[in-house]
């Protein structure tokens, strides 16, 4: 049986067992599922362990073998523009749906206050984390590392990407004998990272089971009812952005058949969904982009780590809906100007959000503050916290799909052949 099918079985079994324990209120089973959750966490750690060596090695090899440094600038420019445009489109879609569906208007004030008080304590914790978050100016400045080893130790991907690209570009200018030695070294590290990913992935079906089962078992199903319209608005937005906007881009900008594209990246989406982390999924995203979509190392090693850090279409869309929901539920209308502000701040906030679980909830605070909802931040976060994990899982899958579509687009515009049939035989 293919690994991919096994992961799917893990997902289905985890959902079924978690749901059974939750609906039937079987406390023993619920506790057991919570106890097995560390299996999932161990797996996330194992795969995250590969991120730093993989990103550094593949970026060094990728940039060093580009040959022409102008190509690097061109790829960088196109990537950033693609990421910004698609994120802004996602925010606009989120706003449009919220204006049509009005998710905050049907919730009565009593339910609202009950929800807000239930998660008050947890929301305060999030506020404290957010208070320590750097401003956009600092995020940009922090992209230049003082010490690349420190950046790696702190799992700061942006400064590490910055350093690796500069260093890789410098390697490309070395005389052949020196360049060859360095590139061979990093190729070895890159190859070994891929081998480790292959090993770790064998555990994926069990990890996916453990992660999903514990989330579903603990999920407050009663909350779903009051936050149903809000959740549906977010989910509909994510689905439209992924299966319409991104699919169209895959078709017309990257020249790939969207059905083939989605089939090949499906395991990556499931993985992102189960872990709620673009960063933890990155090793799989990179290996699958190369083996299944045939995207070169030069393109994937640059576009995908950057995407995992700065490109979050799903997160930005969710933030747009969340801001509108909070404004509507408190009866504060948001003018067109305020909504344009949301487009700008949510797009920019996605740069600051790390590719880890719940990061989008923290940067949502910036977006709320930008439209004058500063005094509703704590209560607003408390309101939506109960369904956040599930929505986080979905938005992470959307974020990763966006990264991969960009990589395909860049590869195509750089003249790479992305013929799926040829690739299938190459991957086999
Ligand atoms: N979990 C998301 C990601 O890793 C970020 C977020 O929306 O919280 O892409």
């Amino acid at each position: 049986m293919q690994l991919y099918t096994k992961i799917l079985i893990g997902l289905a079994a985890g959902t079924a067992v978690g749901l059974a324990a939750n609906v039937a209120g079987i406390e023993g089973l619920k506790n057991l599922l919570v106890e097995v959750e560390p299996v999932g966490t161990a797996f996330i750690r194992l795969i995250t362990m590969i991120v730093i060596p993989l990103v550094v090695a593949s970026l060094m090899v990728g940039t060093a073998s580009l040959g022409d440094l102008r190509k690097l600038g061109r790829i960088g420019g196109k990537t950033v523009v693609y990421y910004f445009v698609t994120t802004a489109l996602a925010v606009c879609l989120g706003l449009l749906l919220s204006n049509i569906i009005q998710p905050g208007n049907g919730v009565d004030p009593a339910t609202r206050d009950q929800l807000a008080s239930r998660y008050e304590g947890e929301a305060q914790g999030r506020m404290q984390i957010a208070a320590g978050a750097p401003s956009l100016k600092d995020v940009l400045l922090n992209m230049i590392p003082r010490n690349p080893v420190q950046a790696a130790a702190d799992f700061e991907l942006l400064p590490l990407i910055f350093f690796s690209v500069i260093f890789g570009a410098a390697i490309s200018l070395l005389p052949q004998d020196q360049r060859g030695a360095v590139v061979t070294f990093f190729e070895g590290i890159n190859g070994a990272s891929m081998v480790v990913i292959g090993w770790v992935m064998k555990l994926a079906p069990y990890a996916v089971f453990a992660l999903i089962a514990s989330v579903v078992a603990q999920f407050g199903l009663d909350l779903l009812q009051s936050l149903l319209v809000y959740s549906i608005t977010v989910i509909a937005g994510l689905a439209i952005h992924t299966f319409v906007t991104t699919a169209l881009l895959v078709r017309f900008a990257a020249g790939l058949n969207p059905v083939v594209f989605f089939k090949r990246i499906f395991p990556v989406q499931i993985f992102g969904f189960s872990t709620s982390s673009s960063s933890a999924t990155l090793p799989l995203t990179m290996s699958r982009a190369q083996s299944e979509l045939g995207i070169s190392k030069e393109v994937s090693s640059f576009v995908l780590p950057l995407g995992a850090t700065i490109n979050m279409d799903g997160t930005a869309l969710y933030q747009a809906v969340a801001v509108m929901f909070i404004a509507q539920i408190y009866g504060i209308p948001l003018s067109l100007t305020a909504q344009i502000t949301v487009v700008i701040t949510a797009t920019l906030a996605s740069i600051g959000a790390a590719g880890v679980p719940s990061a989008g909830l923290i940067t949502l605070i910036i977006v709320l503050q930008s439209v004058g909802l500063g005094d509703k931040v704590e209560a607003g976060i408390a309101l939506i916290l109960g369904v956040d994990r599930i929505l986080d899982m979905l938005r992470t899958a959307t974020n990763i799909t966006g990264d991969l579509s960009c990589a395909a687009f860049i590869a195509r515009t750089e003249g790479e052949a992305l013929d799926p049939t040829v690739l299938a035989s190459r991957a086999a």
Side-chain angles (χ1 to χ4, degrees), residues 272 275-281 307-308 311-312 314-316 318-319 353-363 388 391-393 395-400 403:
T275 58
S276 283
S277 169
S278 307
S279 299
T281 313
N311 182 49
M312 304 207 173
T315 303
Y318 137 86
Q319 289 181 336
V356 296
S358 278
L361 191 67
I362 308 292
T363 49
D388 198 64
L391 298 181
D392 193 2
M393 294 160 93
R395 64 189 191 239
T396 306
T398 300
N399 292 345
I400 295 169
D403 300 344

Side-chain angles (χ1 to χ4, degrees), residues 234-245:
V234 176
I235 295 169
L238 294 176
I240 296 172
H241 185 76
T242 306
F243 298 113
V244 179
T245 314

Side-chain angles (χ1 to χ4, degrees), residues 230-254:
Y230 160 70
S231 305
I232 288 175
T233 312
V234 176
I235 295 169
L238 294 176
I240 296 172
H241 185 76
T242 306
F243 298 113
V244 179
T245 314
T246 309
L248 285 173
L249 285 167
V250 165
R251 178 69 197 87
F252 295 106

